[in-house]
Amino acid sequence: MKALVYHGPGRIAWEDRPMPVLREPTDVLVKISKTTLCGTDLAILKGGIRTVQPGRIIGHEATARIVEVGSGVTDFRVGDHVIVPCTTSCGRCPACRKGLFSSCDRGGWLIGNTIDGVQAEFACIPCADTSLHRIPAGMDEEAALMLADIIPTGLEVGVQKAEVSLGDTVAVLGAGPVGLATIIAAQFYGPSEIIAIDLDANRLEAAKRLGATTVIDNSDGGALAKVMAMTGGRGVDVVIEVVGSPATFDLAQRIIGAGGRMANIGIFSKSVEMHNDILWLRNITLRMGVVNANTVPVLLKMIQAGKLDPRGLISHRFPLGEIEHAYELFKNAAREQAMKIVLSADDSAPPTEAIDEQVVQYVVGRIMSVLREG
Ligand SMILES: [Zn+2]
Ligand SMILES: [Zn+2]
């Protein structure tokens, strides 16, 4: 099969790799239908995520068809059409019992990190029963794909951790795909203002289209003064930091008002300065984390109810085999006006009950090899 392999900083290749095999009875093997690139993949490419070793197949967001189930899998069958979320979890360890699925003893963010990922034709997915989500019949598959990471991340790590509430003034620092997903998710809770701050005019345009009430281009460094003027010098109720840079973290601390809640989604490659000397007087709360992906079922319901359409986050579409080209484009996201780039297997189609021919061939091949091995 073909897969996108990380070969060390700055080096990736779409190349032949052996077919993945089940590692545990609780695993399933899937044929990738759609996958997408993530800012995290770019961080890997820069060598900024130390857990990702050269030789790793990367990618952690996909929709797929199950082609083989382990003997311990009870809730999924061959042919099921599923969302593969970036976080997998066992459902039984102490962390999972507390609802901290991203800190699972046997899970968390493994796919495309410490185990092979989903920017490939096939992938082995652990803890299938407690990690995968069936895509409802008739649902647009691209909409479902957006639930593999960015919409749950914006909702859980941003909006829910910062406790966005009715009437709040919310500032979102960074209007890349996850920032835009955060802007979409914040609207579920009825804030009065959503202020999007970025350096890129196209992304701010998208932010406006997706629900930001004010957009601020901080290329001139004027965001602090503008936010303070907008809020009568009091600062905002909620800041959601989605960049992971010293500059945005600093701005977040300066615009947060008394009793403010700050959520940090951005991934920092090193520690940044925190102004405890100022913040303690303001009674602020700071939270951060990794997506648990436990909101996927409710988000599927919201799509079905017509209250969520995350397809507005998608800017480009390519066949899966053109993934190297997609990376080139994504690396120059500002110039190319790239947000989410969807990569589809040749035979990926709207949801259908039929199992495609490649899956049938694969299953027959596996049965034959098991018979041969005796
Ligand atoms: Zn991602
Ligand atoms: Zn667990």
Side-chain angles (χ1 to χ4, degrees):
M1 69 151 189
K2 290 277 190 192
L4 200 275
V5 180
Y6 169 69
H7 287 293
R11 291 166 53 218
I12 46 169
W14 179 246
E15 61 188 37
D16 285 313
R17 286 290 294 256
M19 201 58 195
V21 290
L22 299 177
R23 289 171 289 243
E24 304 278 344
T26 45
D27 291 356
V28 295
L29 214 60
V30 298
K31 179 179 182 295
I32 302 302
S33 176
K34 292 183 189 292
T35 183
T36 175
L37 311 186
C38 181
T40 311
D41 298 321
L42 291 186
I44 293 170
L45 197 48
K46 285 182 190 149
I49 298 184
R50 277 179 295 242
T51 46
V52 183
Q53 294 295 313
R56 175 71 58 228
I57 298 170
I58 60 175
H60 54 263
E61 306 175 35
T63 53
R65 283 263 178 215
I66 294 177
V67 295
E68 186 179 356
V69 295
S71 57
V73 175
T74 56
D75 293 354
F76 290 94
R77 301 277 176 272
V78 169
D80 281 353
H81 190 209
V82 295
I83 296 172
V84 180
C86 54
T87 298
T88 54
S89 53
C90 75
R92 302 197 312 256
C93 72
C96 284
R97 296 283 192 188
K98 281 195 256 181
L100 279 171
F101 303 105
S102 57
S103 296
C104 171
D105 287 355
R106 289 180 285 269
W109 176 41
L110 307 182
I111 298 172
N113 176 15
T114 55
I115 64 173
D116 281 336
V118 294
Q119 287 168 6
E121 290 179 318
F122 292 87
C124 175
I125 309 298
C127 298
D129 279 335
T130 41
S131 302
L132 296 177
H133 302 274
R134 232 178 238 99
I135 301 174
M139 181 174 288
D140 184 277
E141 191 171 357
E142 289 186 340
L145 178 64
M146 296 299 112
L147 303 193
D149 181 353
I150 64 169
I151 297 279
T153 294
L155 175 61
E156 296 173 21
V157 187
V159 174
Q160 292 183 337
K161 280 202 193 294
E163 296 174 15
V164 173
S165 309
L166 185 67
D168 276 348
T169 302
V170 177
V172 177
L173 308 192
V178 177
L180 296 173
T182 304
I183 289 165
I184 292 173
Q187 292 162 70
F188 294 145
Y189 295 86
S192 61
E193 291 268 5
I194 301 175
I195 306 164
I197 304 173
D198 200 284
L199 307 173
D200 182 283
N202 289 309
R203 290 188 157 182
L204 289 171
E205 201 53 51
K208 207 175 234 174
R209 177 166 53 78
L210 294 169
T213 52
T214 303
V215 297
I216 298 175
D217 187 333
N218 197 31
S219 302
D220 60 0
L224 172 60
K226 284 177 188 155
V227 172
M228 289 324 240
M230 277 179 71
T231 55
R234 290 188 184 86
V236 295
D237 301 306
V238 167
V239 188
I240 302 176
E241 198 282 341
V242 201
V243 181
S245 80
T248 46
F249 192 63
D250 189 72
L251 179 61
Q253 295 176 72
R254 292 181 193 281
I255 62 174
I256 192 165
R261 288 94 63 202
M262 189 193 302
N264 176 203
I265 301 178
I267 302 171
F268 292 90
S269 55
K270 48 180 184 261
S271 63
V272 288
E273 197 179 345
M274 181 139 171
H275 305 297
N276 310 46
D277 51 333
I278 300 167
L279 295 173
W280 76 281
L281 266 174
R282 282 193 233 152
N283 289 297
I284 71 120
T285 305
L286 167 62
R287 297 176 75 188
M288 62 188 80
V290 180
V291 67
N292 287 315
N294 61 323
T295 58
V296 174
V298 76
L299 289 166
L300 283 169
K301 252 168 82 175
M302 295 297 273
I303 293 176
Q304 283 185 302
K307 293 182 188 297
L308 168 65
D309 184 359
R311 288 174 297 182
L313 295 165
I314 299 166
S315 62
H316 294 77
R317 295 167 175 86
F318 293 107
L320 183 55
E322 291 179 25
I323 191 165
E324 287 174 313
H325 171 65
Y327 264 95
E328 284 309 310
L329 203 134
F330 198 49
K331 279 193 264 182
N332 300 298
R335 192 184 70 205
E336 303 288 348
Q337 303 185 20
M339 297 192 294
K340 276 311 242 188
I341 301 177
V342 173
L343 297 144
S344 300
D346 294 339
D347 48 0
S348 104
T352 157
E353 292 310 304
I355 300 171
D356 69 53
E357 200 179 332
Q358 208 178 339
V359 171
V360 172
Q361 278 174 6
Y362 171 75
V363 171
V364 170
R366 287 290 295 170
I367 292 169
M368 293 304 284
S369 74
V370 167
L371 289 174
R372 270 199 303 275
E373 284 159 17

